Amino acid sequence: MLKFDFTNIFNSDIPNGITKDEIEQNSSKIKNILKDINENKPGFVEILFTNKWLDSVFNIKNFLKDFDNFVIVGIGGSALGNIALQNTLKPLNWNFLSKEERNGHLRIFVIDNVDPDYVAAILDSIDIKRTIFNVISKSGSTAEAMANYLVVRGIIETYGLNPKEHLIFTTDPKNGVLRKIANEENIKTLEIPENVGGRFSVLTPVGLLSAFAAGINIEKLYEGARYAFERTIKEDIWNNPSALIALTHYLYYQKGRNISVMMAYSNKLYYLADWYRQLWAESLGKAYSKDNQKINVGQTPVKALGATDQHSQIQLYNEGPDDKIITFLKTECFDRNIKIPQVHNEKSLNYLQGKTLSQLLNSELIGTESALLKHGKPSLKVIFPKIDEFNVGQFIMYYELATAIAGELFNINPYDQPGVELGKKITYALMGRPGFEEYNIGNQKQERIEL
Ligand code: PA5
């Protein structure tokens, strides 16, 4: 079971820190929010009450069996969850292992960006004949996903292969161009539930198929998520990780801490911080409140990696402005252990020789959190007794629920992203998409200051 340590959030040495009383004062508000979540289950919760989404993945397992490579084509919420599951739950060198070492499971690649160097690097390193491409787009219209789809489809056809045998679409049940193409050409598809948006969709077929292809136990992911939901709904605030995460972040935001750093002391868990970064940013960064007041709220999420970023960020976190609340991710059980050998008869290295790398890394975590506290900076810690499907499923659900609760506290809609739209429309105009001419900035008169 995942553990949470809020000790250094409430420490009385933190100047202008939050108190237990402030939590108590908000407890009935939280109770009402949780009641509402339970009664009007948002889509990302509703999916837990059926096996439909797991089954939809199991039902196409035969379709995967002739392949070595599984390539995800999608971006944002259609990619980040997959990347997080893959890197957190499989060895970091997964794609370099032999088929036997992978127990026959597939290598996983993600084509999200439209950087040609990046796309070419992936496509050059796989045997297209042995590759299944999973094109994921809820809207079925995102420019990056569609462009990369066209690129991979072009390659499939160049190789003289049947696109129907190398493509799976994961998309909206009714809408979008992917759905249209799938219907016309009878391409295999998986549905994304209508009421689940991109960044909340990792436990739908969006994230489940690639996870299954890599041999991740997706039923255990669901078990973890279901456990986290039940706990969040049942428990009072002091035994409720999602509620405490949301409320402590919200209260510290009110006191000027408008940055939320998630610092993983594990390269594997770092990818969960990446997933969280999108979830917190896109869900909570909003111009208007639910009652249409201009409020421009949002806490900027930052990801960091311990110990690496101790040599890059920690100076700022310790001595810089009081604008951060920090979450550490810790594992108590690395997959591997490396003993630091006794190589030199050298006094200054003796404190390392004979110890393990994990001992050093976890000591560095204690060192960093203690130093932050001494500098008056609040932090909390999420502890993975083991990095497995049950715990990762919990983490995902606790944080999705925390985001939904925080949305209520900030009085904004956490499920939309109107701020992404304008940039998209300008891009469409620049690329000549009919209907978007008015957004062409080339037509606007503006004094330019270019050096
Ligand atoms: O969270 C979101 O809604 C976004 O990040 C989307 O996932 C992203 O824009 C991709 O959208 P789509 O899946 O429609 O291609």
Side-chain angles (χ1 to χ4, degrees):
M1 242 172 64
L2 222 50
K3 295 182 278 185
F4 294 82
D5 183 351
F6 284 89
T7 313
N8 293 343
I9 284 285
F10 293 106
N11 193 294
S12 54
D13 289 344
I14 297 167
N16 200 20
I18 57 174
T19 62
K20 291 186 178 169
D21 282 350
E22 284 171 90
I23 299 292
E24 296 289 352
Q25 283 153 21
N26 282 281
S27 77
S28 66
K29 193 173 187 178
I30 292 286
K31 221 181 227 163
N32 289 337
I33 294 172
L34 292 175
K35 188 166 172 275
D36 185 54
I37 289 178
N38 196 26
E39 281 171 10
N40 307 300
K41 295 188 175 55
F44 74 89
V45 167
E46 207 180 56
I47 56 167
L48 303 178
F49 291 84
T50 165
N51 277 341
K52 174 174 171 187
W53 310 107
L54 290 169
D55 288 344
S56 69
V57 168
F58 294 139
N59 287 343
I60 62 164
K61 69 169 184 240
N62 283 342
F63 199 65
L64 303 177
K65 73 177 184 333
D66 295 329
F67 298 105
D68 288 333
N69 309 309
F70 186 105
V71 179
I72 294 143
V73 177
I75 196 163
S78 292
L80 287 163
N82 303 60
I83 297 171
L85 290 180
Q86 181 62 28
N87 286 291
T88 306
L89 291 167
K90 304 306 292 183
L92 290 164
N93 60 346
W94 178 251
N95 283 351
F96 296 100
L97 300 179
S98 68
K99 194 164 185 175
E100 291 69 43
E101 287 167 325
R102 287 183 276 115
N103 278 329
H105 296 303
L106 279 66
R107 290 194 197 96
I108 308 290
F109 300 86
V110 180
I111 299 183
D112 51 357
N113 204 3
V114 282
D115 175 340
D117 292 336
Y118 171 69
V119 175
I122 293 176
L123 294 176
D124 287 351
S125 58
I126 53 178
D127 177 355
I128 302 292
K129 294 189 281 306
R130 309 278 306 151
T131 301
I132 180 92
F133 293 91
N134 181 203
V135 185
I136 309 177
S137 176
K138 173 81 189 286
S139 61
S141 65
T142 305
E144 297 87 347
M146 291 306 106
N148 280 329
Y149 157 64
L150 294 168
V151 168
V152 302
R153 172 124 188 188
I155 289 179
I156 293 169
E157 290 182 7
T158 309
Y159 274 74
L161 302 166
N162 182 352
K164 264 166 56 178
E165 288 168 12
H166 289 263
L167 286 168
I168 300 175
F169 293 166
T170 304
T171 191
D172 188 84
K174 297 193 200 100
N175 301 314
V177 73
L178 278 184
R179 177 59 59 187
K180 182 167 170 274
I181 296 168
N183 289 344
E184 283 166 9
E185 299 188 24
N186 204 14
I187 289 172
K188 235 183 208 4
T189 59
L190 287 173
E191 283 183 13
I192 306 174
E194 269 171 308
N195 56 355
V196 183
R199 56 194 174 275
F200 289 88
S201 69
V202 54
L203 296 178
T204 74
V206 168
L208 295 176
L209 182 63
S210 65
F212 177 74
I216 289 169
N217 187 334
I218 57 178
E219 284 169 303
K220 282 260 179 296
L221 272 178
Y222 259 54
E223 275 176 36
R226 285 172 177 147
Y227 174 84
F229 174 72
E230 292 303 327
R231 181 172 177 191
T232 305
I233 291 308
K234 278 192 198 129
E235 294 294 347
D236 73 69
I237 188 130
W238 290 110
N239 196 19
N240 196 320
S242 299
L244 270 187
I245 290 165
L247 189 52
T248 54
H249 279 74
Y250 172 73
L251 292 174
Y252 267 123
Y253 178 84
Q254 306 301 330
K255 296 182 186 220
R257 296 193 177 273
N258 54 25
I259 297 175
S260 162
V261 178
M262 186 172 275
M263 186 166 192
Y265 273 73
S266 148
N267 282 63
K268 289 179 137 201
L269 296 178
Y270 186 46
Y271 292 91
L272 288 178
D274 205 16
W275 169 82
Y276 162 76
R277 193 169 65 122
Q278 184 211 13
L279 184 69
W280 207 247
E282 228 172 69
S283 304
L284 303 178
K286 297 289 153 75
Y288 290 95
S289 66
K290 282 194 193 167
D291 42 359
N292 221 21
Q293 303 299 309
K294 188 105 187 318
I295 50 172
N296 293 105
V297 291
Q299 194 171 41
T300 305
V302 170
K303 60 174 179 162
L305 176 65
T308 306
D309 286 331
Q310 286 179 201
H311 304 270
S312 154
Q313 302 286 294
I314 284 296
Q315 168 63 29
L316 171 71
Y317 298 174
N318 271 317
E319 295 194 358
D322 285 329
D323 58 0
K324 296 174 198 66
I325 169 170
I326 292 153
T327 302
F328 293 109
L329 304 185
K330 170 187 170 155
T331 175
E332 288 177 330
C333 181
F334 291 87
D335 291 350
R336 306 281 293 272
N337 208 0
I338 296 182
K339 193 168 174 181
I340 306 169
Q342 188 81 42
V343 174
H344 295 286
N345 191 8
E346 167 61 55
K347 263 201 198 123
S348 63
L349 293 177
N350 276 349
Y351 76 102
L352 293 172
Q353 298 186 108
K355 308 280 174 40
T356 63
L357 290 186
S358 57
Q359 241 177 315
L360 174 59
L361 190 55
N362 279 337
S363 302
E364 300 216 40
L365 165 51
I366 295 170
T368 301
E369 66 176 342
S370 309
L372 281 167
L373 186 61
K374 283 236 162 344
H375 286 97
K377 318 291 182 180
S379 70
L380 68 106
K381 197 160 53 191
V382 184
I383 303 154
F384 287 73
K386 195 173 173 215
I387 304 178
D388 63 8
E389 286 90 341
F390 184 68
N391 286 330
V392 170
Q394 282 178 69
F395 180 91
I396 288 168
M397 190 48 54
Y398 281 135
Y399 270 91
E400 289 183 346
L401 287 164
T403 307
I405 298 166
E408 291 301 322
L409 293 169
F410 281 110
N411 191 28
I412 51 89
N413 177 2
Y415 305 114
D416 65 1
Q417 53 284 327
V420 180
E421 291 310 311
L422 181 59
K424 273 192 192 174
K425 286 174 181 158
I426 296 170
T427 306
Y428 289 150
L430 289 169
M431 295 296 286
R433 185 172 175 181
F436 292 86
E437 295 75 8
E438 63 178 295
Y439 296 99
N440 197 335
I441 50 166
N443 299 337
Q444 290 167 11
K445 294 229 173 319
Q446 191 192 345
E447 187 197 348
R448 305 212 64 84
I449 304 165
E450 292 174 334
L451 307 183

